[in-house]
Amino acid sequence: MRTTAFAVAAVLASSVLAACGSGSGSTGEDTGAGGDVQNAKVAFLMPDLASTRYELQDKPLFEAKMKQLCPSCQVIYQNADSDAAKQQQQANSALAQGVKAIVIDPVDSAAAATIVKSAQSQQVPIIAYDRPIPATPADYYISFDNEKIGSMIAQSLVDHLKEEKAEGGILQVNGSPTDAAAGLIKKGIHSAVDPSGFKLLAEYDTPDWQPEKAQTWVSGQITQFKGQIAGVVAANDGTGGGAIAAFKAAGVEVPPVTGNDAEPAAAQRVIAGDQYNTISKPIKIVAEAAANVAWGFMQGEKPAGKTTLYDTPSELFVPTVVTKDNIKEVLFDSGIMKAADICTGAYAKGCDELGIK
C-alpha cells in the first residue's frame, strides 16, 4: 500500500491528463463554453487559508498547467478565507469577467449550489474540486477519494493500537460540517472505528477546519476522559496538529494522532513521532487533472468521468497512508518533498534516523 498506491495514482492521473488533452476521453458534446479560447479566462476559487496547501500547492500547480495548455489564457485566482458569501461574490465577479470555466473548492457545499446554477445558466461549466457539491450537480468533480481517505487513516490507527495492545477509546475530530468532503471522510472514519472494538469516546465536527477549534475541543476531552484516550482520528493535518497541541499543553503524553494532506508541518510531526500518520495525495495530480478538464470544457468538449458521484461525472484518485515506516519512500524518494525544506532544526536528527537526506 506504499509505493504501489502512489504509482497507481500517478498512472491514473497520466491517463486522465492524456485523455483530456487529446480529447479521446471526451464526448465531444458542445457545452456552450467553446469558441475562441485564446486569451480566455478560467476561475480557480479555493475555500480557505486554514489549510496551507491551497496557496502553496494547488494555486501554482493549476496555474502552471493552464499556462502549458494555453499560454494566452488567464487564471483568476481567489481564496474565500472560509467565507461562503465571499466565495459567492468571487464567483459572481468571475462570471462578470467572462470566464469560460470555473474550478471551485466550495467553502459550503450546500451554498455552492447557487454558484453552480448561476454559472450553468450562463453556460459556464463548473468543475467541483476536492469537495463535491451534492445538491446541484456540477459539470465535473475531481478529487482524491475522500471516503477512502477516512477509512484508510482510521484503519491505520486502529491496526497500530491493536498491535501495541493499547487500552482505552478513540476521539474523532472531523472536518467542517459545511464541507461535503468532510462528511465523506467522516463516513470513512466510522467504517473503521465503529467495528474496531475500541470505544468511540466522543466526536466533533470542526467549524471551518480551524485547528484552534479542534485544539479547544480536544483539551476539554483530555479533562473529561483523563487517562482513557488511546488515540485520535483527526480528519486532516490541521485538526491533527490542533489535537497534538492540546495534549502538549495539558502536559500529558500524546497518543497516536492521524492526519491528512501531508502538509510540511505534518511531515515534520510524523518524523518527530508526534503525529502517527497522514495521507499523501499529491496535489499535482488533481491540480493538473482539473486544468485539463477545464481546458476540455473551454474548447467546447465535455470530458467523460471515470465514475459518478452525486450525479456528477467524477475522477477520484487513490491516496497513500504515510507513517514513519514509509515517509522516506512516499514523500522524499518520490520528490514530493525535499529534505532541505523539512529536515531543519529539531527535525534533522529524526530525518537522519530515517535515512532522509
Side-chain angles (χ1 to χ4, degrees):
M1 188 57 218
R2 299 177 184 177
T3 305
T4 302
F6 177 79
V8 168
V11 170
L12 285 172
S14 298
S15 64
V16 168
L17 303 186
C20 291
S22 66
S24 60
S26 305
T27 65
E29 296 176 14
D30 185 1
T31 64
D36 183 11
V37 291
Q38 297 304 314
N39 303 310
K41 298 175 182 176
V42 56
F44 192 64
L45 309 179
M46 295 295 100
D48 62 62
L49 297 169
S51 297
T52 60
R53 51 166 285 194
Y54 299 116
E55 303 289 316
L56 299 180
Q57 298 183 66
D58 298 77
K59 173 183 180 287
L61 288 167
F62 180 83
E63 289 177 334
K65 187 60 183 179
M66 279 304 308
K67 188 172 183 61
Q68 178 186 341
L69 294 168
C70 179
S72 65
C73 288
Q74 177 186 350
V75 175
I76 297 175
Y77 171 74
Q78 296 287 340
N79 191 303
D81 196 13
S82 301
D83 187 332
K86 183 177 181 179
Q87 189 168 62
Q88 176 73 65
Q89 294 170 356
Q90 292 169 345
N92 290 342
S93 175
L95 289 169
Q97 294 178 64
V99 294
K100 294 286 188 179
I102 294 177
V103 178
I104 181 170
D105 193 336
V107 172
D108 185 319
S109 295
T114 302
I115 296 174
V116 174
K117 292 175 183 177
S118 296
Q120 292 178 342
S121 71
Q122 299 180 44
Q123 296 187 334
V124 175
I126 287 273
I127 298 103
Y129 180 84
D130 196 34
R131 304 175 183 180
I133 305 173
T136 301
D139 295 279
Y140 207 93
Y141 175 49
I142 290 176
S143 178
F144 281 88
D145 188 329
N146 287 295
E147 187 172 338
K148 186 76 171 175
I149 286 171
S151 66
M152 290 171 71
I153 58 174
Q155 192 61 56
S156 170
L157 177 71
V158 166
D159 291 346
H160 175 68
L161 294 179
K162 288 182 176 179
E163 183 180 333
E164 296 295 314
K165 295 181 172 53
E167 296 181 357
I170 291 174
L171 294 180
Q172 182 171 328
V173 186
N174 303 312
S176 173
T178 62
D179 175 0
L184 292 171
I185 294 172
K186 179 178 179 178
K187 181 180 179 182
I189 291 173
H190 274 290
S191 73
V193 171
D194 293 353
S196 69
F198 289 98
K199 182 180 179 181
L200 178 60
L201 299 174
E203 68 177 299
Y204 175 65
D205 294 340
T206 310
D208 299 325
W209 292 93
Q210 290 292 331
E212 296 82 2
K213 293 177 180 178
Q215 179 176 347
T216 299
W217 181 78
V218 172
S219 293
Q221 307 314 302
I222 292 171
T223 301
Q224 182 174 351
F225 299 106
K226 188 175 181 180
Q228 300 178 51
I229 303 171
V232 180
V233 183
N236 78 340
D237 289 334
T239 54
I244 291 166
F247 284 98
K248 290 192 171 185
V252 297
E253 183 178 354
V254 180
V257 177
T258 73
N260 159 38
D261 283 337
E263 292 183 348
Q268 290 178 325
R269 290 194 295 267
V270 170
I271 289 168
D274 290 331
Q275 183 168 319
Y276 177 65
N277 71 23
T278 184
I279 282 279
S280 174
K281 45 183 186 181
I283 304 304
K284 183 179 177 69
I285 291 175
V286 288
E288 292 192 349
N292 274 277
V293 169
W295 179 235
F297 277 117
M298 291 163 71
Q299 295 178 95
E301 301 172 354
K302 188 176 181 181
K306 295 295 182 70
T307 187
T308 301
L309 186 66
Y310 298 119
D311 295 324
T312 305
S314 304
E315 183 74 16
L316 304 178
F317 297 102
V318 179
T320 305
V321 174
V322 177
T323 66
K324 260 190 175 185
D325 291 338
N326 66 347
I327 190 170
K328 175 181 181 293
E329 176 185 2
V330 176
L331 296 185
F332 293 93
D333 293 350
S334 66
I336 293 174
M337 291 184 178
K338 296 180 180 178
D341 298 328
I342 304 298
C343 302
T344 58
Y347 304 103
K349 181 180 179 181
C351 285
D352 286 342
E353 291 174 351
L354 295 176
I356 300 171
K357 299 178 181 179

